[in-house]
Amino acid sequence: MNYFELEKKSNKSNARAGKLKLKHGTTLTPVFMPVGTTGTIKACTWQQIKDIGFNLVLGNTYHLYLRPGSEIINHFNGLHNFINWDRNILTDSGGFQVFSLSDFRKITDDGVIFSSIVDGSKHFFSPETVIDFQLTLGSDIMMPLDECTPIPIEYSIAQKAMNRTLIWLKRAKKRWEESNKDKDHLLFGIVQGNRFEDLRKYSAQMTSELDLPGYSIGGLSVGEDKDTMFSMIEIVNSILPEEKPRYLMGVGKPEDLLEGVARGIDMFDCIFPTRAGRNGSFFTKNGMKSIKNLSYKFSEEPLDKDCDCYACKNFTKSYIRHLFRAKEITAMTLISIHNLAFLKKLMDNIRSSILNDNFEEFKNDFLSNYRQSKEEIF
Ligand SMILES: [Zn+2]
């Protein structure tokens, strides 16, 4: 079955518009997915996420496995039920968190033993157990266990991790197919290879050969320079099959979304908009601003005059600044809603511009405004 319909491809860049047909509804691409780490998008309610218009969100396997854990998720017959979200959920494999959060980890060809960030207890992830847990969650899109390496790192270490990721992917695929739930819960492959061109090429070729419903690009946006990230995306996307969706993991700044789309990416996720929101930073078409800024003391304007989100329709910057200074939780909610709505609208506009053959113009206009103002110092 074809889960992805490629509707339009730009003539001037590799930008694409498509439809991702999932169990809980069709998602239009390119798409940004908000991150609901432990079963909630921080500081927001699910109704607020629905009102913004999202119908695909991300959950973190590592966090959900540790807490609430499979017993509770099983009791409620899956994550959708437990959190009362009837739209699509993509879950990552937990690999990235095992490698970035755990104090202790030991990797073998079998899998990885790691200590819990919650209570220090020891746990084991294998390609098979990670698929089993994501099936328990009932994820609409699942990710296989992969080995992430930091950038920069020695070639031989990156090569070993890339090869292990491929072996693990084959095991994950086998488990997924044997589950007989493969039609409702799609498995993507993850391309690794750090910053090495030949490793990325090899990984993209070998991963593509497994003929999965979609492909992710992992191990980028981990502190490398932008040119490295973009050239790795170009290399990988020149190999990945055109008719399958491509997901760039962990990227969510407006300028990177535009550059990613221009290089043929269809899906993105990042904690950045909500984390920045909780710190008082908000998106505008002229760049990011801080609500702490003294110049907003008497401001009767919304966060962004062009935005029709709940925060912008109802409240002034003066009021939100006051809430933030008073450490009221509502300030974080309002700015998070705005930041997510800003990215949702950006992706909708990107999609329309691709369909109308003027994506490159839209991108240049957006970036020239967005970069016009420097980030405010506060
Ligand atoms: Zn807004």
Side-chain angles (χ1 to χ4, degrees):
M1 169 160 174
N2 195 5
Y3 301 98
F4 185 65
E5 182 192 324
L6 188 58
E7 283 176 89
K8 177 116 185 175
K9 207 174 164 279
S10 163
N11 293 326
K12 295 181 209 143
S13 73
N14 288 311
R16 306 129 55 94
K19 284 180 184 164
L20 197 51
K21 295 166 191 167
L22 304 172
K23 192 185 172 194
H24 292 88
T26 295
T27 296
L28 303 176
T29 64
V31 64
F32 173 79
M33 303 177 280
V35 180
T37 306
T38 54
T40 184
I41 310 254
K42 286 190 198 305
C44 298
T45 66
W46 285 117
Q47 188 58 49
Q48 289 163 337
I49 299 303
K50 277 188 182 176
D51 289 345
I52 296 169
F54 290 110
N55 75 350
L56 172 59
V57 298
L58 188 138
N60 287 120
T61 289
Y62 175 88
H63 293 284
L64 293 165
Y65 168 82
L66 293 174
R67 194 170 49 192
S70 56
E71 213 182 334
I72 295 177
I73 296 289
N74 239 331
H75 177 84
F76 285 91
N77 204 18
L79 185 62
H80 290 84
N81 246 351
F82 183 54
I83 66 176
N84 194 23
W85 170 259
D86 57 4
R87 301 184 184 184
N88 295 300
I89 299 174
L90 177 151
T91 45
D92 62 5
S93 69
F96 180 77
Q97 281 76 20
V98 166
F99 293 100
S100 60
L101 295 179
S102 295
D103 292 336
F104 166 84
R105 64 188 163 267
K106 187 169 183 283
I107 311 159
T108 66
D109 289 341
D110 281 346
V112 53
I113 302 167
F114 61 96
S115 62
S116 157
I117 196 180
V118 178
D119 59 10
S121 56
K122 297 281 189 296
H123 299 270
F124 176 67
F125 273 175
S126 73
E128 291 81 11
T129 63
V130 159
I131 293 296
D132 292 346
F133 182 62
Q134 289 180 88
L135 288 171
T136 299
L137 291 170
S139 312
D140 298 280
I141 300 177
M142 311 189 292
M143 294 295 140
L145 186 64
D146 58 335
E147 184 177 343
C148 309
T149 49
I151 298 179
I153 203 161
E154 280 171 48
Y155 181 88
S156 60
I157 299 173
Q159 187 177 34
K160 204 174 166 195
M162 184 275 292
N163 279 322
R164 185 174 271 146
T165 296
L166 274 174
I167 293 166
W168 283 357
L169 175 59
K170 287 174 192 163
R171 283 169 51 188
K173 187 188 176 198
K174 187 164 179 278
R175 188 65 150 230
W176 170 63
E177 284 170 339
E178 285 169 359
S179 73
N180 285 325
K181 295 179 179 170
D182 50 328
K183 303 284 180 291
D184 289 338
H185 310 281
L186 309 185
L187 176 68
F188 278 27
I190 303 183
V191 175
Q192 288 289 355
N194 206 278
R195 68 192 152 93
F196 302 104
E197 210 177 304
D198 62 326
L199 296 186
R200 285 280 171 189
K201 273 187 189 165
Y202 181 79
S203 178
Q205 271 155 5
M206 292 296 144
T207 308
S208 301
E209 282 178 16
L210 293 175
D211 193 24
L212 292 158
Y215 298 97
S216 313
I217 307 178
L220 292 177
S221 194
V222 291
E224 75 281 14
D225 61 84
K226 291 283 166 77
D227 288 344
T228 301
M229 177 169 91
F230 295 142
S231 73
M232 291 301 128
I233 296 169
E234 286 165 19
I235 289 164
V236 170
N237 277 352
S238 71
I239 295 167
L240 291 179
E242 194 164 76
E243 68 281 6
K244 301 282 179 75
R246 302 155 175 174
Y247 162 31
L248 178 60
M249 306 174 88
V251 167
K253 291 187 177 164
E255 62 273 32
D256 297 339
L257 295 173
L258 282 156
E259 297 294 352
V261 168
R263 288 164 176 79
I265 299 290
D266 307 298
M267 303 162 69
F268 303 86
D269 80 285
C270 195
I271 54 166
F272 178 71
T274 41
R275 177 176 281 178
R278 295 196 303 282
N279 289 326
S281 297
F282 60 97
F283 293 127
T284 76
K285 67 176 180 186
N286 301 120
M288 282 219 105
K289 313 278 179 189
S290 171
I291 198 65
K292 294 177 245 182
N293 198 307
L294 184 64
S295 67
Y296 303 145
K297 192 172 179 181
F298 297 104
S299 174
E300 295 172 22
E301 291 181 347
L303 296 172
D304 178 359
K305 276 184 256 184
D306 300 325
C307 180
D308 61 359
C309 81
Y310 171 72
C312 291
K313 268 194 306 199
N314 291 286
F315 306 108
T316 65
K317 276 191 276 212
S318 176
Y319 173 59
I320 298 174
R321 177 176 177 274
H322 151 71
L323 291 178
F324 193 84
R325 283 163 54 83
K327 298 191 167 42
E328 287 293 343
I329 297 163
T330 310
M332 296 182 180
T333 300
L334 293 175
I335 305 173
S336 296
I337 287 173
H338 167 72
N339 283 353
L340 289 175
F342 185 91
L343 290 193
K344 175 73 172 70
K345 191 174 168 191
L346 173 62
M347 298 314 282
D348 289 349
N349 288 340
I350 288 174
R351 184 179 149 80
S352 312
S353 73
I354 297 168
L355 293 174
N356 296 326
D357 280 324
N358 62 359
F359 167 71
E360 290 69 26
E361 235 177 309
F362 173 81
K363 173 175 173 259
N364 292 338
D365 281 357
F366 182 93
L367 290 179
S368 65
N369 281 321
Y370 197 73
R371 285 169 181 161
Q372 218 170 52
S373 67
K374 294 181 187 118
E375 260 179 53
E376 288 177 23
I377 296 161
F378 42 87

